[in-house]
Amino acid sequence: MAQYLLNELVKVEDNTLIMDGIEVFECNKDGLEMLKVMYDFTQQRKPFSLNDIMECLEIERTEDNVFAIQNTINYLRGCFIINEC
Amino acid sequence: MEKTRMISDLHDIYERWIDDIELDILLTKKCNLNCIHCFLDNKDGEMGIDTIRRIVSDEFFVLHSQNKKRVVNLSGGEIFMRKDIGEIFSLFRDLNVSVGCVSNGFYISDDSVELLEENHIDLSLSMDGVNEIHNYYRRNDISFNKLEYAIERLLKSKVRFGVVCSVSRINKDYIEEIIKYCINRKIRSIRFQVVKPEGNALAMQEDNLILDDSEKQELFEKLLHYCGKYVADINITGYGTFKSELREHGCKFGLKWGKTCHSNTTPWPKSFGIDTAGNIIQIHPFHSNEFWKIGHIDEGLFNVISRYYASDKHIALLTTLKETYEENILKSPEEFIFEDLYLEDKVAEKIASSCKR
């Protein structure tokens, strides 16, 4: 399964994701929780996968949840916010 | 000297370029509707089944598309008006490529869904608004009902499908409504494109319904916002991802590639079109200017595409792209983000005007 790390230039201020000083987008509550999980993994220099995120967030592996996480990962990858290892 | 270096760089990256090329095949111009924003102004013409057989048996597919990565899009007109659409789908089934098609949803039935499932074809449904706006675009009072039926039927199937929405002044203020409608229906992807003044849409331009530059910029900002806001619910695609990428990565728009690009991307064109008459065209099959035509299917698809690569015509495209970038963007860096989004249009205009001369 693919593994990722958060870009080192990413910060979250209030509810806005900022990369290299540029506001990328505003996150909702779920998005913020997911970013926190990614941030914690990255701080430990530990690449994370879709399964790792689901486990940390303690959410069930339903079709909707898998889509939500995978789509977020794909989007963040497209924005260079996370990188595949 | 620069041209020589460009040709040498192009040769270095040829194998990866040919592997990544996508194809857009215009199967028919016939349609049951006559939408106000249609890029076609004449609805005559259908690709012959022999031409389609020639395409699928070409070296391009037989020897160079073995990895399922290649994307082929079957478009129209309304492709489900073709009585032989099942046969066409089956011709593509064994090619080991990803095939998608576009439809207005009128002919989505148990039979057509079965064909899509059997042949593993993805579907994009055209949807330009909820209820009246969609019907207005279609000039047809029942088209939204038909679309809803198609969505319901597709949701019960295994077909991967999404929505494509064409934006003009008519629906620009209803973008979030369209996104929310899709989320409520559990539609997983939506792509936005702007209506361009071509085909039927020339009349929209006369009626002042095409987005102007500032409205396009506003739409871009909105889509960026919605991409983030609804990221857990739906995959929204449109112009690009986010601002720093646009500023830093000209590769997305064909300005950098190969060694000059941060991720060693391949150069433009990333796709080719084949029109109903079998002409092979750079980028997509709807450019009518002679410049965009690079050959005919009778000469062999792979032969034409390979011959085009690093040719004078290809170099002209890449050079025009670079010049347009320098003229339009470097001159006013503040406008960079906006201008960059429409670079392809500007290149097309520039090439079209030079061809007229």
Side-chain angles (χ1 to χ4, degrees):
Chain A
M1 181 171 275
Q3 294 194 304
Y4 311 90
L5 277 173
L6 200 62
N7 189 308
E8 288 169 6
L9 300 171
V10 169
K11 285 182 195 163
V12 179
E13 287 180 9
D14 296 325
N15 63 343
T16 303
L17 193 146
I18 296 171
M19 186 162 127
D20 200 11
I22 296 166
E23 286 184 16
V24 182
F25 57 80
E26 285 178 26
C27 306
N28 58 19
K29 190 168 157 274
D30 294 343
L32 281 173
E33 279 181 27
M34 204 186 303
L35 277 168
K36 189 175 176 305
V37 169
M38 292 176 181
Y39 184 78
D40 289 344
F41 273 111
T42 306
Q43 286 296 297
Q44 299 165 44
R45 298 195 178 278
K46 197 176 157 195
F48 55 83
S49 66
L50 181 140
N51 281 350
D52 294 329
I53 295 174
M54 295 191 83
E55 218 169 274
C56 288
L57 293 172
E58 295 177 349
I59 54 176
E60 279 179 59
R61 199 180 171 82
T62 62
E63 196 189 324
D64 283 351
N65 286 340
V66 170
F67 173 83
I69 310 265
Q70 189 61 61
N71 200 47
T72 306
I73 286 175
N74 292 346
Y75 179 67
L76 296 178
R77 270 191 75 200
C79 298
F80 303 102
I81 291 165
I82 60 171
N83 300 305
E84 193 168 343
C85 304
Chain B
M1 186 59 195
E2 196 171 333
K3 185 179 170 186
T4 315
R5 194 185 312 126
M6 189 186 274
I7 291 172
S8 161
D9 290 348
L10 284 170
H11 284 306
D12 285 346
I13 206 167
Y14 169 77
E15 294 293 336
R16 277 210 303 115
W17 177 78
I18 198 92
D19 277 353
D20 287 352
I21 287 297
E22 298 182 5
L23 268 194
D24 196 333
I25 302 171
L26 189 62
L27 290 181
T28 181
K29 291 183 184 173
K30 291 180 186 166
C31 190
N32 56 315
L33 297 174
N34 187 22
C35 302
I36 58 170
H37 66 305
C38 185
F39 58 85
L40 295 170
D41 51 6
N42 116 43
K43 302 283 192 278
D44 293 325
E46 192 161 273
M47 186 176 277
I49 191 75
D50 287 342
T51 304
I52 300 168
R53 288 202 186 98
R54 200 168 298 156
I55 292 170
V56 298
S57 60
D58 192 275
E59 190 182 337
F60 181 75
F61 285 114
V62 178
L63 297 177
H64 300 277
S65 305
Q66 299 302 313
N67 53 12
K68 201 71 178 162
K69 206 169 83 176
R70 189 173 314 285
V71 175
V72 177
N73 191 39
L74 307 175
S75 59
E78 174 51 46
I79 64 163
F80 285 101
M81 283 186 78
R82 285 191 69 132
K83 294 201 166 43
D84 56 358
I85 193 67
E87 184 185 352
I88 295 170
F89 283 170
S90 67
L91 286 172
F92 284 91
R93 182 178 51 204
D94 301 325
L95 291 181
N96 210 18
V97 295
S98 298
V99 184
C101 64
V102 187
S103 168
N104 60 35
F106 257 74
Y107 296 98
I108 296 300
S109 62
D110 290 351
D111 289 346
S112 53
V113 167
E114 199 176 311
L115 282 178
L116 291 163
E117 278 179 333
E118 266 175 17
N119 295 290
H120 309 291
I121 311 269
D122 297 341
L123 175 70
S124 292
L125 285 173
S126 305
M127 174 184 160
D128 305 304
V130 179
N131 288 313
E132 291 84 357
I133 292 181
H134 181 80
N135 289 344
Y136 183 80
Y137 259 73
R138 311 275 139 193
R139 294 197 260 230
N140 182 297
D141 290 343
I142 61 163
S143 62
F144 192 73
N145 289 343
K146 287 279 191 184
L147 183 74
E148 287 210 295
Y149 170 79
I151 291 168
E152 288 303 318
R153 182 63 191 84
L154 287 160
L155 284 169
K156 290 178 194 152
S157 75
K158 290 178 182 159
V159 178
R160 289 201 318 173
F161 77 101
V163 157
V164 56
C165 175
S166 300
V167 185
S168 69
R169 285 188 175 158
I170 298 167
N171 60 357
K172 74 178 176 63
D173 295 326
Y174 300 93
I175 300 301
E176 192 165 20
E177 184 185 346
I178 296 166
I179 293 170
K180 283 182 175 171
Y181 174 88
C182 290
I183 292 171
N184 286 337
R185 294 300 169 113
K186 294 218 179 255
I187 294 169
R188 299 297 200 191
S189 76
I190 182 163
R191 178 164 55 88
F192 289 95
Q193 58 193 24
V194 291
V195 175
K196 292 182 183 177
E198 55 194 3
N200 282 357
L202 283 170
M204 285 180 82
Q205 189 179 34
E206 283 168 24
D207 293 340
N208 220 10
L209 292 173
I210 303 278
L211 298 186
D212 66 22
D213 288 355
S214 66
E215 288 164 327
K216 285 177 186 170
Q217 172 73 23
E218 194 186 317
L219 174 66
F220 171 64
E221 298 288 347
K222 264 190 202 171
L223 290 181
L224 283 181
H225 174 66
Y226 296 144
C227 276
K229 184 173 176 184
Y230 296 112
V231 70
D233 304 304
I234 192 164
N235 176 28
I236 301 171
T237 49
Y239 302 115
T241 45
F242 81 117
K243 293 176 186 178
S244 72
E245 180 194 5
L246 299 180
R247 281 200 196 100
E248 291 161 18
H249 302 293
C251 50
K252 197 169 178 69
F253 304 94
L255 300 164
K256 292 179 183 175
W257 41 268
K259 290 171 205 156
T260 62
C261 161
H262 71 300
S263 58
N264 198 21
T265 54
T266 52
W268 270 24
K270 309 262 188 197
S271 66
F272 288 90
I274 309 177
D275 69 14
T276 51
N279 294 307
I280 300 167
I281 298 162
Q282 302 175 52
I283 301 174
H284 63 62
F286 319 125
H287 286 306
S288 54
N289 190 296
E290 279 300 312
F291 175 85
W292 299 101
K293 289 182 188 164
I294 61 162
H296 192 273
I297 192 66
D298 287 346
E299 300 170 82
L301 179 59
F302 183 75
N303 291 344
V304 170
I305 291 177
S306 306
R307 181 182 70 198
Y308 165 80
Y309 192 75
S311 67
D312 286 350
K313 218 167 189 179
H314 189 197
I315 300 288
L317 174 76
L318 295 171
T319 309
T320 311
L321 202 60
K322 190 165 174 285
E323 283 168 4
T324 314
Y325 167 78
E326 284 165 358
E327 279 166 23
N328 289 283
I329 294 158
L330 294 186
K331 218 188 282 174
S332 53
E334 295 306 310
E335 299 296 316
F336 182 97
I337 296 162
F338 164 69
E339 294 289 354
D340 212 1
L341 302 173
Y342 301 97
L343 204 57
E344 185 191 332
D345 290 351
K346 288 184 183 299
V347 169
E349 276 169 28
K350 195 167 173 177
I351 286 172
S353 65
S354 70
C355 287
K356 273 178 207 156
R357 285 202 301 273

